[in-house]
Amino acid sequence: MKLVFATNNPHKLSELKTMLPKEIELLSLSDINCHEELPETQNTLEGNAMQKASFVYQNYGYNCFADDTGLEIEALNNQPGVYSARYAGLHCSADDNIKKVLQQLHAENNRFANFKTIIALIIDGQENYFEGVCSGKITLAKNGKQGFGYDPVFKPDGFEKTFAEMSKKEKGAISHRGKATKKLVQYLKIISCQKLF
Ligand code: IMP
């Protein structure tokens, strides 16, 4: 089964490649000659994920999925949430975002946070959503060099290291995106069986 992952984030693409079974041929946007910026103007994770998937489905005609992820920090009333990418400003870097989070949490004891991913899938016009949540804590400083985004300051529950100190496989087994992807794969297995009978 061919499926496009509608993302311009190479880190997400390579994470997904380690998670999907080989029966699913994962295509990138460049594989389908899509070199456009994907629209992402909604104010919910669901809205943004479906907006990106719909853009590719409608303009390029491929079955596809897209994800949108937010970091919800308890002490900040679940901010930055859907605005995680632009937390420190419109064209800010991951480092700027991390600096702002650490600054906001300065002298704050409650470090609880969740990463939440929503995957939106469109197959033959049928739309579905899959959610994955990973709970953890925001560290006092950056640790680790792997991964991307907020990974260096997010320590998942049950681990003594941040996502940025884990391999892709280790992170994928417990992460928000990993959990949402497992649900996506289960669903794809069910519909491919239905198509055989
Ligand atoms: P988006 O899903 O690409 O819109 O991501 C929103 C923000 O969350 C961006 O700043 C990403 O870098 C960050 N982000 C998304 N997924 C992850 C992750 O798995 N780890 C750390 N940061 C992430």
Side-chain angles (χ1 to χ4, degrees):
M1 178 190 288
K2 280 187 183 178
L3 208 50
V4 174
F5 183 17
T7 181
N8 281 310
N9 182 333
H11 297 281
K12 287 187 181 179
L13 193 63
S14 84
E15 277 188 12
L16 257 287
K17 278 187 180 155
T18 66
M19 293 177 205
L20 289 179
K22 58 182 181 323
E23 292 77 26
I24 298 170
E25 189 187 338
L26 191 65
L27 300 177
S28 66
L29 290 175
S30 54
D31 288 332
I32 62 163
N33 273 321
C34 168
H35 303 287
E36 301 177 72
E37 198 58 45
L38 302 179
E40 196 174 344
T41 57
Q42 306 300 300
N43 56 12
T44 60
L45 298 177
E46 286 81 359
N48 279 332
M50 190 50 83
Q51 188 179 24
K52 291 183 271 189
S54 299
F55 181 84
V56 170
Y57 184 75
Q58 282 166 11
N59 294 299
Y60 293 82
Y62 282 89
N63 288 331
C64 83
F65 68 95
D67 87 318
D68 203 43
T69 295
L71 177 63
E72 299 174 341
I73 300 175
E74 197 175 86
L76 303 179
N77 293 320
N78 289 336
Q79 292 304 307
V82 69
Y83 303 109
S84 295
R86 292 154 276 160
Y87 192 42
L90 206 53
H91 301 292
C92 63
S93 66
D95 229 42
D96 297 333
N97 283 333
I98 287 177
K99 268 193 201 128
K100 180 161 178 189
V101 162
L102 293 180
Q103 221 162 44
Q104 302 270 7
L105 292 182
H106 177 68
E108 174 61 66
N109 288 326
N110 177 4
R111 316 287 299 189
F112 287 115
N114 282 329
F115 260 122
K116 189 190 280 180
T117 287
I118 301 291
I119 291 179
L121 170 75
I122 310 183
I123 296 221
D124 299 332
Q126 257 217 282
E127 300 179 354
N128 275 286
Y129 295 93
F130 307 92
E131 180 183 298
V133 176
C134 181
S135 301
K137 288 195 178 67
I138 303 296
T139 52
L140 295 172
K142 281 167 49 170
N143 281 299
K145 298 258 176 265
Q146 323 254 33
F148 67 100
Y150 296 91
D151 279 350
V153 291
F154 185 82
K155 198 186 276 184
D157 284 346
F159 290 81
E160 280 313 311
K161 52 186 177 181
T162 67
F163 272 158
E165 296 174 287
M166 295 183 178
S167 67
K168 277 189 197 91
K169 210 165 169 198
E170 240 181 320
K171 179 185 170 189
I174 56 162
S175 77
H176 41 298
R177 194 168 302 98
K179 288 176 183 167
T181 306
K182 274 185 201 129
K183 293 179 187 170
L184 166 74
V185 170
Q186 261 168 1
Y187 176 79
L188 292 173
K189 281 186 184 155
I190 293 168
I191 58 163
S192 15
C193 286
Q194 283 170 348
K195 278 186 179 163
L196 290 176
F197 295 104

